[in-house]
Amino acid sequence: ENVVGYDLINEPFTPLEEQYEFVDNDPGLSELMSRYIEMIESIRKVDKITPIIIESSYWATVDAIPKLSIENLLTIDTNILVSFHFYEPMLLTQRQQNKNRFGFPSQIPDYESSKYPQMIEINDNYIQDKFLPTIQWSQKFNVRLVLGEFGISREVLGADLDEDWDSMDYELGDNISTGKSFIY
């Protein structure tokens, strides 16, 4: 009775994605969906009530959700939550890549090694723009979304400081009422 949901696979990825290739018609996506179907059918034999949580491929990135073939899963079960993770852009959020160069909000280069990079404004609007296609996708298929993981290195200017956590800031700030915006 205390199980909130079954998170079937944390940060799944296909063999092509393991090589950092993000392609349409990736055969690994069909395999992932087959595994999800098999697991959902097995769970529903013993538990017909508890929500099932799935994640998109490419380590559950928000950009991969539109590639998720949710239609087949919804014919089997409609009590599905789709979780995604958001640690973007990594040049900002990860201490090893940031190296104390960028804060939040700020402008960062789209590609660090580019001779003439495009500068991207990273702020609240950037995050909203990244989430909007996923929110629209969830509304189209009537599927609930969960922001399963998110964060920024505490050393980044603009992140909350807390002595209890050594690296990532996962806080929503002092106003916890904003949490409602993370589940659609």
Side-chain angles (χ1 to χ4, degrees):
E1 68 183 57
N2 293 324
V3 176
V4 173
Y6 299 106
D7 191 349
L8 301 185
I9 304 173
N10 184 49
E11 297 187 349
F13 57 91
T14 70
L16 283 176
E17 292 169 346
E18 189 173 22
Q19 300 168 31
Y20 297 101
E21 294 183 37
F22 193 56
V23 298
D24 290 329
N25 303 317
D26 180 344
L29 294 175
S30 295
E31 183 181 335
L32 176 62
M33 297 313 293
S34 295
R35 287 186 182 195
Y36 278 152
I37 288 169
E38 182 181 325
M39 288 186 271
I40 291 169
E41 289 175 341
S42 295
I43 289 169
R44 290 303 180 224
K45 289 178 183 175
V46 295
D47 183 348
K48 298 189 185 318
I49 299 170
T50 306
I52 293 176
I53 303 166
I54 64 167
E55 296 179 358
S56 61
S57 65
Y58 215 77
W59 295 273
T61 181
V62 67
D63 294 327
I65 286 182
K67 293 184 178 293
L68 192 61
S69 299
I70 195 74
E71 302 95 328
N72 294 339
L73 296 181
L74 292 175
T75 62
I76 296 167
D77 196 310
T78 57
N79 195 9
I80 293 176
L81 306 174
V82 176
S83 175
F84 65 95
H85 300 177
F86 192 75
Y87 298 102
E88 296 179 30
M90 289 192 169
L91 188 56
L92 170 69
T93 63
Q94 307 298 306
R95 74 164 64 140
Q96 301 91 332
Q97 294 183 35
N98 187 320
K99 301 174 187 166
N100 296 318
R101 297 176 291 167
F102 309 106
F104 182 85
S106 69
Q107 288 193 345
I108 68 165
D110 57 352
Y111 296 102
E112 185 174 25
S113 59
S114 174
K115 187 173 180 179
Y116 302 106
Q118 293 277 350
M119 298 305 286
I120 302 170
E121 184 72 29
I122 307 299
N123 55 26
D124 292 348
N125 291 333
Y126 171 85
I127 296 170
Q128 289 174 358
D129 291 346
K130 289 290 283 187
F131 288 5
L132 184 60
T134 299
I135 292 167
Q136 291 169 337
W137 175 90
S138 74
Q139 292 168 341
K140 175 182 175 183
F141 292 106
N142 196 27
V143 175
R144 293 175 291 168
L145 292 174
V146 177
L147 177 52
E149 293 182 21
F150 67 99
I152 189 168
S153 177
R154 290 195 179 281
E155 289 87 13
V156 173
L157 182 65
D160 284 341
L161 296 174
D162 186 330
E163 297 172 5
D164 296 331
W165 294 92
D166 66 342
S167 178
M168 299 303 283
D169 171 18
Y170 300 108
E171 299 164 26
L172 298 176
D174 295 336
N175 183 358
I176 61 170
S177 67
T178 59
K180 71 176 179 58
S181 64
F182 292 101
I183 298 180
Y184 286 90

